[in-house]
Amino acid sequence: MRLRTRRHRTYLSSVVLLLIAPTLLCAADAIDTKQLPGILLDNTAAELMGPWQPSIHTKPYIGDGYIHSGVPGRDEASVPKSLTFRHKLPKSGKYGVYLAYNANSNRAAAAPIEIHHAGGDASLTLNQRETPKGPALFQSLGQFDFNADEDAVIAISDKDAKGIVIVDAVLFVPQNEIAKLDAVAKKLAEAKPEPKQKPTKKEAAEEKVAQVAPPFARHPRTDVQLLTPESLDQLIAEEAHITEATDLIDDETFLRRVTIDVIGRIPTEQERSDFLADTNPAKRALMIDRLLDSPEFGGNWATYWSDVFSYRIPQPELTYLDYQVFQDWLAQQLNEGTGWDEVTYRILTATGKVGDNPPAFFVGFHQASTSRLAGETTRIFLGTQIQCAECHDHPFVDIPQERFHQMAAFFVRTNAKLPWNDSSQIEVGSKEKGEHKMPDTNQAMMPAVFSGDAMSEGASDLDRRVLLANWVIQPDNALFAKAYANRIWERLMDQPFCDPVDEISEEAGFPSLPSVHDAVAAHFIASEYDAKPLMRVILNTKAYQRQLDAKDELAGQLTSAELRKMRGDVVFNSLVTAVELPNVEGTPMKPTAEMRFPPPPKSTQDLVNEVFGYDPSLGRAFRPQTMQQAMFLMNNRQLQNQVKAGDDQQTKLARMLKETPDDRQAIQRLYVNVLGRAPQEKELEIAYDYVQEVESRGEAFEDLLWALLNTAEFTTRN
């Protein structure tokens, strides 16, 4: 969390509170604090010592979120930390002091708090496992005298706290206004909800889905032994029979690798400098945590999942599919730690317009096609390809034709209305009747999950999709967690447990490292299907942090790291980081008689994704280096403009040369900005000699930058 100066932070965070609406207390993410008396200091006003973790996981909260001291078992939780609120109150006198936090069974049983007031210092402990007595999230810490010419100081630490310390905000209420605060609290407690109006058809459908949804708001499992990086490394070594492996990568290479994998871009020059200067022996684990907590984490992995879906969805007529609405929604879910089971449930059961309910994109973009939805549901969420059984029994594995059509029957009463040229307005709804028929025989097929019992005839659309979603995500369905684990393992460790990545069923072949696969999937289930704990344990292993086998001397799985071609969005984000590539929007085409609905214009980002993108469900053979990629890096107009270094240019390269008159230092900075690493001695000497030979310094560095951008290393994760 980046902190402003104390004065600036306090100015921005100190607000006079007004009345809180009761409905917002129950439903909103951020509490509307507008009519309670007093002065509020949000957690962003505090001076932090140690690795406090920002979060928006538990709602509602004050402001943009809250901070906590770290989940037990993680590295940041073991590092001592404290925070201090300092504020000069407007008038001297007695004030009630309140702390806002959210309660839970894993919270601190004795959070230590120090209050510096006019009469001295007060020490107390707060049991945050108990719900704040209110109003809202606030708990009284007592009443104290404060002088207007001295800072009121509230200090909180995690020393001997016996759990996770939560800090959301601090509230100061003058003594003569505490009665008003109590009255508001009483009013909120007695407030009756407004009578509900009759729901619309869409609202009734959504309410029905919500009523039968499984209990997603769970607590961490205590009956399952979670993996640690050490236990995972040991399991890998045993099952892969690793006797010799490459050494661990250095800090510079680690930072580039983990930054690309977690947030989808190369690290910045400042991020590299800060990381290399850090002397904390746990800095790699702390960096992993910072990256997982970055908003860029959700954006990167939402784009990955968008590619998983979109590469198999054909474009419909008269419209063009825009996945941004879905990506934004999924990025928020991933950043908030929403379980993959809840995400999947919402995707499979969604109704309404895509713009209003983004999970509806899956059914809507497939135009409610029963055959496509049957095949893609099992492929993506269960890692099982049944589409070959649509017309006949699967030719290679034990998947009868009936299984495919029983799956298709779950979607036979689903409907999608497609507007002209606006995919956000695609609306998913239900049909009143209809049953799925087997081709050729015209036999009615009832919905059934693989070898399970079939539903009775006449079941509604939502009943069918809810039953399917609940079966897909149940913990007893091993395919669900293993399918997700297989994809994450493939993205981070360069190779899946099962290849192809979307075929993990036992009938399809012989998976590698089955015990490791089972253990990683079990860890995912025990972590409540949250992607972050799964990635955290993998990223912290030695297996993830191994060097490349440069001499090709080692044999066997996971004895070394392997090269990986970057996805298109990662290439674009890295170009933004390296040379500040602008995302220039294309010019819309005007409709003509021949083309009433012209395709949407392509931005620079669209062009990069088109050239460098690939279907993430396909293997390495489908990720080749192409002439089109080379020509883009060599000739794209926007990119070439960012390579210029003339005195009249405002490019990153031009600024860097003005800031760095020493040529050797400028060469080093150029390598760091483009490749995320310093040049080797030989590279430095060759580049330096070239700069000395060219008459124009700017042109020489333009050539060097162009050459680095066109190396295979720039578009490769090593």
Side-chain angles (χ1 to χ4, degrees):
M1 179 180 296
R2 191 172 73 176
L3 300 178
R4 304 179 178 89
T5 63
R6 179 178 27 150
R7 179 180 178 184
H8 188 50
R9 292 195 313 267
T10 304
Y11 172 78
L12 291 176
S13 303
S14 303
V15 293
V16 178
L17 300 181
L18 303 174
L19 180 64
I20 301 175
T23 54
L24 291 176
L25 290 176
C26 301
D29 290 352
I31 289 179
D32 182 13
T33 54
K34 288 185 177 178
Q35 289 187 7
L36 286 171
I39 294 173
L40 175 73
L41 301 181
D42 198 2
N43 60 269
T44 54
E47 302 169 6
L48 306 183
M49 295 291 293
W52 290 90
Q53 305 296 303
S55 181
I56 54 173
H57 183 272
T58 302
K59 304 176 183 64
Y61 42 74
I62 307 297
D64 293 330
Y66 57 92
I67 56 177
H68 64 83
S69 59
V71 178
R74 300 180 186 172
D75 289 327
E76 75 272 7
S78 63
V79 180
K81 56 189 70 68
S82 62
L83 62 82
T84 305
F85 291 93
R86 301 177 188 275
H87 190 76
K88 284 186 171 60
L89 298 173
K91 295 181 179 180
S92 298
K94 190 178 290 292
Y95 287 78
V97 181
Y98 300 80
L99 177 69
Y101 68 91
N102 53 73
N104 205 327
S105 59
N106 62 355
R107 302 305 194 234
I113 301 174
E114 299 280 340
I115 301 176
H116 177 70
H117 53 93
D121 295 318
S123 299
L124 56 100
T125 60
L126 179 64
N127 183 359
Q128 295 191 321
R129 298 177 184 179
E130 297 179 352
T131 302
K133 293 183 172 57
L137 304 177
F138 291 99
Q139 172 64 43
S140 172
L141 303 180
Q143 297 183 26
F144 305 91
D145 287 311
F146 294 98
N147 292 327
D149 56 350
E150 295 181 359
D151 282 341
V153 179
I154 311 295
I156 305 171
S157 76
D158 66 343
K159 183 179 181 181
D160 301 324
K162 301 177 183 178
I164 304 173
V165 178
I166 305 290
V167 180
D168 195 345
V170 166
L171 174 67
F172 295 91
V173 181
Q175 186 181 38
N176 61 355
E177 296 188 35
I178 290 178
K180 179 180 178 182
L181 178 70
D182 293 339
V184 172
K186 183 178 180 181
K187 183 178 179 180
L188 291 176
E190 296 175 348
K192 296 181 180 179
E194 296 181 3
K196 290 186 178 181
Q197 297 180 349
K198 184 178 180 180
T200 64
K201 189 174 182 180
K202 173 177 175 289
E203 291 171 339
E206 292 175 348
E207 184 176 351
K208 180 177 181 180
V209 171
Q211 287 175 348
V212 294
F216 298 117
R218 302 171 297 258
H219 300 294
R221 294 271 295 274
T222 58
D223 58 335
V224 177
Q225 183 65 43
L226 293 172
L227 286 171
T228 65
E230 295 75 20
S231 64
L232 181 53
D233 271 323
Q234 182 178 355
L235 187 58
I236 291 170
E238 291 173 354
E239 187 162 7
H241 305 291
I242 297 177
T243 57
E244 184 180 5
T246 57
D247 294 333
L248 300 186
I249 49 180
D250 57 30
D251 285 342
E252 187 177 58
T253 307
F254 167 80
L255 179 65
R256 185 178 190 271
R257 179 183 296 180
V258 75
T259 305
I260 289 172
D261 282 346
V262 178
I263 64 173
R265 62 167 173 81
I266 59 175
T268 66
E269 183 179 12
Q270 188 62 53
E271 288 168 344
R272 173 186 175 275
S273 176
D274 292 344
F275 185 69
L276 296 183
D278 190 351
T279 59
N280 190 330
K283 68 179 185 179
R284 292 194 182 191
L286 294 174
M287 174 55 68
I288 290 169
D289 288 342
R290 283 195 289 273
L291 292 172
L292 290 173
D293 286 335
S294 166
E296 293 176 89
F297 163 77
N300 175 43
W301 284 90
T303 304
Y304 164 77
W305 283 107
S306 178
D307 287 348
V308 170
F309 288 102
S310 65
Y311 269 88
R312 307 293 174 91
I313 296 180
Q315 289 283 351
E317 296 181 2
L318 302 180
T319 192
Y320 294 89
L321 301 180
D322 183 355
Y323 287 83
Q324 194 59 53
V325 171
F326 165 66
Q327 289 181 29
D328 292 344
W329 171 79
L330 184 57
Q332 180 181 0
Q333 307 310 306
L334 294 172
N335 283 331
E336 293 179 359
T338 303
W340 185 243
D341 56 343
E342 181 173 353
V343 170
T344 301
Y345 182 90
R346 294 179 66 181
I347 288 174
L348 293 178
T349 61
T351 60
K353 292 182 179 179
V354 172
D356 299 329
N357 190 21
F361 90 98
F362 180 61
V363 173
F365 285 12
H366 275 297
Q367 304 174 65
S369 167
T370 55
S371 59
R372 292 208 301 265
L373 288 170
E376 287 296 271
T377 296
T378 55
R379 184 184 73 85
I380 293 173
F381 299 113
L382 301 177
T384 304
Q385 298 190 30
I386 66 171
Q387 58 269 29
C388 286
E390 180 176 4
C391 302
H392 46 70
D393 292 349
H394 199 294
F396 305 116
V397 298
D398 184 20
I399 300 179
Q401 186 182 10
E402 287 79 5
R403 179 181 296 183
F404 177 91
H405 291 283
Q406 287 173 330
M407 184 64 65
F410 281 106
F411 300 99
V412 72
R413 295 194 178 188
T414 307
N415 183 50
K417 297 179 181 179
L418 271 68
W420 287 356
N421 222 23
D422 187 354
S423 61
S424 69
Q425 296 303 303
I426 292 177
E427 185 171 5
V428 176
S430 301
K431 293 181 286 190
E432 295 296 329
K433 58 183 179 179
E435 298 297 348
H436 184 71
K437 304 292 180 65
M438 279 279 286
D440 299 330
T441 66
N442 211 33
Q443 176 188 354
M445 300 299 296
M446 295 300 104
V449 288
F450 288 12
S451 58
D453 295 332
M455 294 184 74
S456 58
E457 187 173 354
S460 71
D461 168 48
L462 287 180
D463 284 343
R464 296 174 191 233
R465 289 198 278 149
V466 165
L467 176 66
L468 173 63
N470 279 322
W471 174 77
V472 166
I473 68 175
Q474 64 174 310
D476 292 340
N477 185 356
L479 290 175
F480 178 66
K482 291 181 69 173
Y484 191 93
N486 194 45
R487 285 188 175 275
I488 300 303
W489 190 265
E490 189 269 344
R491 294 307 307 171
L492 300 181
M493 304 298 278
D494 311 315
Q495 50 191 306
F497 294 114
C498 303
D499 194 3
V501 71
D502 49 11
E503 183 57 283
I504 68 170
S505 59
E506 294 180 0
E507 299 99 328
F510 303 95
S512 64
L513 310 181
S515 296
V516 180
H517 192 180
D518 289 342
V520 172
H523 181 90
F524 183 47
I525 296 173
S527 302
E528 309 300 350
Y529 300 97
D530 185 347
K532 293 183 181 182
L534 174 64
M535 294 188 191
R536 180 177 288 107
V537 73
I538 296 173
L539 295 169
N540 277 290
T541 61
K542 293 179 180 179
Y544 172 80
Q545 299 181 25
R546 297 201 193 283
Q547 295 178 3
L548 298 169
D549 184 9
K551 298 181 180 179
D552 197 21
E553 295 177 342
L554 299 174
Q557 284 187 285
L558 302 177
T559 57
S560 66
E562 297 184 28
L563 296 172
R564 170 182 290 283
K565 184 176 179 287
M566 291 181 184
R567 301 194 320 268
D569 58 289
V570 180
V571 173
F572 176 78
N573 293 336
S574 296
L575 285 169
V576 173
T577 303
V579 297
E580 297 178 348
L581 179 68
N583 186 26
V584 178
E585 298 292 337
T587 303
M589 295 174 58
K590 293 183 178 180
T592 64
E594 294 77 16
M595 186 180 294
R596 295 177 58 196
F597 299 101
K602 294 181 179 179
S603 65
T604 309
Q605 184 173 7
D606 294 331
L607 294 174
V608 174
N609 285 333
E610 187 176 88
V611 172
F612 290 92
Y614 56 82
D615 186 342
S617 299
L618 297 179
R620 299 176 188 174
F622 296 89
R623 302 168 192 171
Q625 299 285 346
T626 67
M627 181 59 68
Q628 190 180 15
Q629 295 168 6
M631 295 303 293
F632 181 91
L633 291 174
M634 287 191 290
N635 300 322
N636 176 265
R637 181 177 301 175
Q638 279 82 45
L639 183 55
Q640 295 310 307
N641 287 337
Q642 298 307 111
V643 176
K644 295 178 180 179
D647 293 337
D648 60 337
Q649 299 295 320
Q650 299 298 318
T651 63
K652 187 174 183 179
L653 176 61
R655 296 198 309 272
M656 188 183 71
L657 293 181
K658 291 177 183 178
E659 297 167 358
T660 316
D662 182 273
D663 286 341
R664 290 183 183 274
Q665 292 181 6
I667 292 169
Q668 291 198 17
R669 290 191 63 190
L670 192 63
Y671 266 80
V672 167
N673 276 275
V674 178
L675 300 182
R677 65 170 177 85
Q680 299 174 6
E681 189 62 34
K682 185 176 181 180
E683 292 173 322
L684 178 59
E685 291 305 318
I686 292 174
Y688 180 77
D689 290 344
Y690 179 76
V691 171
Q692 303 311 305
E693 291 175 2
V694 179
E695 182 176 348
S696 168
R697 182 177 188 244
E699 291 180 3
F701 274 92
E702 288 177 2
D703 292 344
L704 285 177
L705 174 55
W706 183 88
L708 291 178
L709 290 172
N710 281 275
T711 60
E713 183 177 354
F714 178 71
T715 56
T716 304
R717 179 277 223 184
N718 55 11

